[in-house]
Amino acid sequence: MTKALVVGAGMTGLSTAWHLQEYGYEVEVVDRVGVAGGSSWGNAGWLAPGKTIPLSNSSLWMYGPTALFDKHAALDVPVRIDAKLWAFVAQFMAHATGRAWDTTMKGLTPADLAALAAFDELEANGVDAESIDAPFIIGFEAEEQAKGFLKEVEGAARHGQEIPFHKISLDEARADAPMLTEKVGAIYRMEGQRYIEPGPYCEAIADSIEARGGTVTSGVEVVEVTSTRKPAVKLSTGEWLTPDVVVIATGAWMPKLAKDLGVTTMIQAGRGYSFSVETAEPVTCPVYLPEQKVACTPYQGRFRVAGTMEFRGPDEPFQPGRIQSIIHTTKRMFRGIDWDSRQDEWVGSRPVTPDGLPLVGATKVPNVYVNGGHGMWGVVLGPISGKMLAKEIATGEVDPILEPFNPLRGHFVGI
């Protein structure tokens, strides 16, 4: 039986491993931390193709410079001498144009359209988890603030998505999101999306992999991947493994292993923060505050609040001030929340590329592949990316969904 080693036990790596099993591969998944130990655990868990859009857009030219000097801004770039960081920022801003946005959206759309069906496939074939259909409530203080968001939704629809979307009253919104205050003066309801509890969902995929004969091992760090006649993988212990196929799915840490494999697109950790709180009344759907850039989701009887795009190194310390900034910008929009009851405070390093497109496919080294660079969209696009990459590995056929995600397309490397 052909052996595949997947490095990384987040949503993308686990999904790739699961689908490789569908093609008859003997699969081993290793991770230096554990299942969902990176950015897959504490994110908002949105399966929202209608919001799976390019991160870089023309509004950054006004917002970005202001954010540098606002400690509560959702975008946080530390002002310090860091050549790799500022090289990434320059490339990221170079894509902040309408033309670049459309190019990236065109590349994302086929994956967006197939994303939810990929979750259905997992759930119908042994993954004991649930993706939950629910409306998304989107709130603004004033109608004027909604222009940018409405433009993004229109752009996604222009590229082929159907996004049921209409304006509702505060009373209508409170049926699902009773915590909204009167400060929320303009509200929209988006249908056709879902959400999950991402950590438990990843654990369910890992359980399914093991139930089908694969292995998922925590505390194993891969430090080198090479290939002569077949791939060779060196562990931090000095041990070498020799699988037939290797998939690197290590998120923001991917350049450490992939930079010598021809994957030269820069990957920057775009760190997000989250925590959960108690609410006076149950919340039954996700809530999004685009102006504050805060995404909220029901989570195990509580309410997960997530936000921030912090461009730092993936292993830098947790910054408590980012949690306080999320509360500062959000508090006036919500009622009935005990902000002092916070649990699960978390930071995760999302792997952001300058052009907003993932890196999924073959490297220049035979039988070594990568799956990552999804930015904020690794959860929603993880299963479809894993499915299509497994198809490429098993059959040699690159599905059209993956063509825009070619990992050998260029740019500079950084971490």
Side-chain angles (χ1 to χ4, degrees):
M1 183 179 289
T2 306
K3 295 183 179 180
L5 178 70
V6 178
V7 186
M11 182 65 85
T12 56
L14 292 168
S15 296
T16 306
W18 191 92
H19 280 286
L20 283 171
Q21 288 181 310
E22 294 286 278
Y23 286 99
Y25 282 73
E26 180 182 336
V27 167
E28 180 178 4
V29 183
V30 298
D31 193 284
R32 64 174 188 153
V33 177
V35 173
S39 59
S40 289
W41 186 84
N43 64 81
W46 284 15
L47 310 186
K51 269 294 295 161
T52 304
I53 59 176
L55 297 178
S56 186
N57 59 64
S58 57
S59 69
L60 282 176
W61 291 104
M62 293 186 64
Y63 177 76
T66 302
L68 287 176
F69 302 101
D70 179 359
K71 70 177 183 178
H72 296 305
L75 177 63
D76 180 55
V77 184
V79 180
R80 64 189 183 193
I81 298 174
D82 186 332
K84 290 181 179 179
L85 172 62
W86 291 106
F88 171 83
V89 171
Q91 290 186 37
F92 188 73
M93 292 302 296
H95 288 87
T97 67
R99 182 176 180 179
W101 192 96
D102 276 313
T103 298
T104 299
M105 191 70 240
K106 181 179 179 181
L108 289 172
T109 294
D112 287 354
L113 292 174
L116 297 184
F119 282 87
D120 293 337
E121 184 173 355
L122 293 173
E123 293 165 22
N125 292 282
V127 175
D128 186 15
E130 180 185 12
S131 54
I132 303 166
D133 288 289
F136 279 50
I137 303 298
I138 299 110
F140 305 86
E141 290 187 80
E143 188 65 39
E144 180 70 18
Q145 294 177 348
K147 289 182 177 179
F149 181 78
L150 295 176
K151 182 179 178 181
E152 291 175 347
V153 173
E154 184 277 328
R158 188 174 69 250
H159 283 276
Q161 291 201 51
E162 294 183 10
I163 307 171
F165 190 72
H166 59 278
K167 193 171 183 180
I168 61 174
S169 69
L170 178 59
D171 286 341
E172 289 172 317
R174 282 177 172 169
D176 293 301
M179 88 295 288
L180 295 177
T181 70
E182 286 76 9
K183 288 284 186 181
V184 187
I187 308 173
Y188 292 82
R189 180 183 175 105
M190 180 183 291
E191 307 283 358
Q193 318 299 309
R194 304 183 198 172
Y195 71 93
I196 61 172
E197 294 182 351
Y201 203 102
C202 287
E203 290 170 354
I205 300 176
D207 290 344
S208 179
I209 290 169
E210 292 183 323
R212 302 196 301 175
T215 61
V216 180
T217 307
S218 301
V220 176
E221 183 173 4
V222 172
V223 297
E224 185 180 350
V225 178
T226 62
S227 180
T228 51
R229 294 183 179 179
K230 64 187 299 186
V233 175
K234 184 180 181 180
L235 307 182
S236 58
T237 60
E239 179 186 359
W240 285 87
L241 305 177
T242 55
D244 298 294
V245 171
V246 175
V247 178
I248 301 170
T250 51
W253 294 267
M254 184 187 289
K256 290 182 177 180
L257 296 176
K259 63 184 178 182
D260 295 327
L261 308 177
V263 182
T264 58
T265 295
M266 177 174 278
I267 294 178
Q268 170 63 46
R271 306 201 316 170
Y273 286 75
S274 73
F275 55 91
S276 68
V277 290
E278 295 179 357
T279 57
E281 299 179 67
V283 184
T284 59
C285 72
V287 177
Y288 183 38
L289 304 177
E291 188 73 9
Q292 291 76 17
K293 296 178 174 56
V294 170
C296 307
T297 317
Y299 180 77
Q300 298 188 347
R302 294 170 64 84
F303 193 51
R304 174 169 280 176
V305 181
T308 298
M309 177 61 74
E310 179 188 59
F311 289 148
R312 289 181 179 266
D315 293 312
E316 290 193 41
F318 181 93
Q319 305 290 317
R322 299 312 306 161
I323 296 290
Q324 294 303 318
S325 292
I326 293 172
I327 296 171
H328 174 82
T329 59
T330 307
K331 198 171 184 178
R332 67 183 180 276
M333 310 291 279
F334 291 160
R335 64 182 186 179
I337 288 181
D338 182 359
W339 297 101
D340 294 325
S341 72
R342 296 191 306 278
Q343 296 179 9
D344 311 314
E345 291 190 350
W346 170 89
V347 61
S349 294
R350 300 165 297 199
V352 181
T353 61
D355 62 7
L357 290 169
L359 303 164
V360 186
T363 71
K364 71 177 184 181
V365 175
N367 297 313
V368 179
Y369 301 80
V370 294
N371 190 354
H374 294 78
M376 294 172 63
W377 316 127
V379 166
V380 61
L381 297 184
I384 188 60
S385 295
K387 178 180 180 177
M388 294 298 101
L389 181 57
K391 174 184 176 181
E392 178 180 346
I393 292 169
T395 70
E397 179 185 349
V398 178
D399 192 274
I401 286 176
L402 292 190
E403 289 178 358
F405 303 166
N406 179 3
L408 303 181
R409 63 182 181 268
H411 300 302
F412 300 100
V413 171
I415 191 166

